[in-house]
């Protein structure tokens, strides 16, 4: 039988962490799991590829005390074999944005959570190409979604695009390259003041980071500073988070040396 996919609720107190019991959200096999939190509804969304049909599906989760419960499964896209996905919350419009790969295309849908259910608007095309290593963030200053990815049809360059939500739809500006050399393991975090941090693996030799600044006056709405090393060794599985109190970005990764 296929393994189930599950989640755990965890609690932080005085510098320590504890976990509740695991909760299964899909009994069959699943992969490419991503999640985001809708602060307007106090709900979270988990998105996953089902092994049984290779399509992308989702469920709304509710936390109560030390337990988690899930609503009914809702398909995100059933038109082809799904790849990776990334979820971010647009706090201006109170919408969930799911960006995802199906076949050789990169798409996005806007989701509206109501109770324990979610409905999706029409699919928008971000990029008609083979992409991977996707990540997304929301800039609360400019009210824009930013997606980053490895453009496999563009020499594996690190690429970004800015999206604007309107109603239940989303549109994207032109793509812009933040690193022309081969990139992978990309991760993006909003860091305030119209800026985002992108961490990534550069070729096969180092971990690097770059700051992007949103400017909604001119397409493609984002410009980038200089690339800086955070580790000169070969790195993998980059993940980043912004600590707003300390005004610092924390980067997690595997040192592959």
């Amino acid at each position: 039988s296929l393994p189930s996919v599950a989640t755990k609720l965890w609690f932080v107190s005085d510098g320590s962490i504890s976990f509740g019991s695991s909760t299964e959200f899909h009994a069959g096999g699943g992969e490419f799991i991503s999640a985001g939190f809708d602060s307007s509804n106090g709900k979270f969304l988990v998105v996953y590829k089902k092994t049984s049909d290779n399509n992308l599906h989702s469920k709304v989760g509710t936390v109560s005390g030390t337990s988690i419960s899930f609503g009914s499964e809702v398909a995100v896209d059933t038109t082809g074999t799904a790849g990776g996905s990334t979820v971010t919350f647009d706090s201006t419009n109170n919408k969930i944005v799911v960006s995802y790969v199906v076949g050789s295309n990169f798409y996005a849908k806007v989701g509206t959570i109501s109770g324990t259910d979610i409905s999706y608007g029409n699919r928008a095309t971000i990029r008609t190409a083979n992409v991977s290593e996707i990540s997304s963030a929301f800039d609360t200053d400019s009210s824009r979604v930013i997606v980053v990815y490895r453009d496999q049809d563009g020499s594996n360059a690190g690429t970004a695009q800015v999206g604007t939500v309107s109603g239940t739809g989303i549109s994207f500006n032109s793509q812009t390259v933040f690193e022309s050399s081969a990139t992978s393991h990309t991760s993006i975090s909003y860091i305030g003041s119209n800026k985002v941090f992108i961490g990534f693996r550069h070729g096969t030799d180092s971990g690097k980071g770059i700051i992007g600044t949103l400017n909604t006056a001119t397409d493609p709405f984002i410009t980038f500073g200089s690339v800086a090393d955070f580790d000169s060794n070969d790195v993998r599985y980059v993940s980043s988070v912004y600590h707003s109190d300390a005004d610092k970005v924390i980067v997690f990764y595997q040192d592959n040396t």
Side-chain angles (χ1 to χ4, degrees):
S1 62
L2 293 171
S4 64
V5 281
T7 186
K8 274 191 174 182
L9 186 64
W10 52 275
F11 309 90
V12 177
S13 178
D14 297 326
S16 63
I17 187 169
S18 61
F19 289 92
S21 300
S22 61
T23 302
E24 181 181 275
F25 61 85
H26 177 59
E31 58 182 337
F32 298 126
I33 300 166
S34 59
F37 181 67
D38 179 343
S39 57
S40 67
N41 288 293
K43 308 284 185 181
F44 66 91
L45 183 75
V46 60
V47 175
Y48 52 97
K49 174 187 172 182
K50 285 172 62 173
T51 306
S52 60
D53 63 11
N54 289 322
N55 295 154
L56 205 63
H57 298 268
S58 62
K59 286 185 179 180
V60 174
T62 305
V63 174
S64 178
T66 59
S67 65
I68 304 173
S69 59
F70 291 92
S72 300
E73 184 176 85
V74 178
V76 179
D77 196 306
T78 59
T79 62
T81 300
S85 65
T86 177
V87 181
T88 194
F89 177 63
D90 178 337
S91 57
T92 299
N93 296 288
N94 291 331
K95 302 291 185 183
I96 288 277
V97 179
V98 182
S99 305
Y100 59 95
V101 175
V102 170
S104 300
N105 295 287
F106 189 22
Y107 299 116
K109 281 189 176 182
V110 174
T112 305
I113 291 178
S114 178
T116 59
D117 195 18
I118 186 167
S119 58
Y120 293 101
N122 293 329
R123 185 173 73 179
T125 300
I126 304 174
R127 180 95 165 93
T128 304
N130 288 290
V131 308
S132 60
E133 318 283 347
I134 63 177
S135 183
S136 62
F138 181 70
D139 176 0
T140 58
D141 298 306
S142 65
S143 299
R144 296 296 195 275
V145 173
I146 309 97
V147 295
V148 293
Y149 54 92
R150 178 185 186 180
D151 189 346
Q152 294 172 248
D153 287 352
S155 302
N156 294 315
T159 307
Q161 285 183 245
V162 177
T164 305
V165 171
S166 178
T168 58
I170 186 169
S171 58
F172 284 86
N173 285 77
S174 304
Q175 63 262 29
T176 183
V177 172
F178 61 83
E179 175 53 62
S180 58
S181 300
T183 64
S184 57
H185 303 280
T186 51
S187 176
I188 186 171
S189 299
Y190 166 68
I191 60 173
S193 302
N194 291 115
K195 297 184 185 299
V196 293
F197 168 82
I198 304 170
F200 59 95
R201 181 188 188 217
H202 176 266
T204 59
D205 61 6
S206 62
K208 296 183 182 290
I210 193 169
I211 301 296
T213 302
L214 275 291
N215 176 1
T216 57
T218 306
D219 184 44
F221 285 8
I222 189 168
T223 56
F224 293 97
S226 300
V227 172
D229 283 352
F230 61 79
D231 195 315
S232 58
N233 295 323
D234 180 22
V235 307
R236 308 280 176 91
Y237 313 114
V238 178
S239 182
S240 61
V241 63
Y242 177 59
H243 188 319
S244 57
D245 290 339
D247 192 25
K248 304 290 183 185
V249 176
I250 305 165
V251 182
F252 303 87
Y253 58 94
Q254 178 193 75
D255 186 332
N256 200 46
T257 56

